[in-house]
Amino acid sequence: MGFLSVLSTAHKWIAERAGSGDIVIDATAGGGVDTLALAQLVGANGTVYAFDIQQEALDRTAKRLEPFIEQQHITRPKLVLDSHSSMADYIPHIEHGKIAAIMFNLGYLPGGNETVITEPASTIAALQASLQLLRRGGIITCMLYPGHEGGLEEAQAVESWAAALPTDQAQAVIYRQLQRANSPYLIAIERRNA
């Protein structure tokens, strides 16, 4: 049968903590796979914010979601052309502390310019902001890709940040295949305090 893939595990853990009508964030829209999964999870009454620094990524995301929006199965996501490190500036203050789930899928846009990658400094700033935006019991999932240029440094930075979180603030877990050092892996953080 095998274990779930790291991305399927991220989606499963989010689905256990978010549902219809919730507010969720895709911190790295990319091709829109996670944005669509989040939109389907929260439904027509939910709110989805999706961030990316590349217009190409937001265009792909919009194209992927359009058939579902037209069928009125999901609400139109709020697509933001900016760094995920600025996410708190785009989320209305009334929604701070009410976000159910935030997904990060780091690295580069598949099929796009592979030299445009997420960077450790902006990713850590975004993760810190995410923790403040989450509600109690909310989850952050972070897909890490140590196998590409710059990916290992970013993965190590995220791991160090998550490991240093006070346990009364959050709990962090890691899910990875131990026999393949360069394979993608998942870190998830659940907010504990209010």
Side-chain angles (χ1 to χ4, degrees):
M1 180 172 154
F3 293 110
L4 283 177
S5 73
V6 287
L7 186 56
S8 294
T9 299
H11 285 209
K12 179 181 184 299
W13 289 349
I14 284 175
E16 292 171 352
R17 292 163 179 82
S20 180
D22 278 334
I23 308 165
V24 293
I25 298 171
D26 185 349
T28 51
V33 172
D34 294 336
T35 309
L36 177 58
L38 289 168
Q40 290 173 319
L41 183 63
V42 301
N45 296 320
T47 302
V48 180
Y49 295 91
F51 293 83
D52 210 289
I53 60 169
Q54 296 180 81
Q55 186 62 51
E56 179 185 358
L58 296 180
D59 292 345
R60 285 192 201 177
T61 297
K63 185 176 181 180
R64 182 180 297 273
L65 273 65
E66 198 57 42
F68 298 91
I69 294 167
E70 289 173 3
Q71 296 168 19
Q72 299 180 334
H73 295 301
I74 62 173
T75 189
R76 185 173 301 281
K78 299 174 189 320
L79 303 178
V80 181
L81 182 62
D82 203 348
S83 171
H84 50 210
S85 63
S86 301
M87 72 171 69
D89 298 336
Y90 292 91
I91 308 300
H93 188 71
I94 196 165
E95 294 177 352
H96 288 210
K98 296 181 180 175
I99 309 300
I102 304 173
M103 291 193 82
F104 287 77
N105 202 328
L106 302 177
Y108 56 83
L109 177 63
N113 182 348
E114 293 183 11
T115 65
V116 179
I117 61 172
T118 52
E119 302 283 345
S122 61
T123 296
I124 298 302
L127 287 165
Q128 192 61 46
S130 296
L131 203 53
Q132 302 310 311
L133 291 169
L134 278 183
R135 67 186 182 197
R136 185 176 184 173
I139 187 171
I140 299 166
T141 61
C142 192
M143 289 287 305
L144 300 159
Y145 297 88
H148 72 83
E149 181 93 19
L152 179 59
E153 294 80 8
E154 185 172 43
Q156 290 171 336
V158 170
E159 227 177 287
S160 295
W161 175 83
L165 290 171
T167 55
D168 64 336
Q169 182 181 15
Q171 78 175 344
V173 297
I174 190 167
Y175 182 74
R176 79 182 304 171
Q177 185 177 354
L178 295 175
Q179 297 97 330
R180 295 174 55 214
N182 287 333
S183 65
Y185 67 102
L186 172 66
I187 289 180
I189 298 111
E190 182 180 50
R191 182 169 175 178
R192 299 185 85 175
N193 62 356

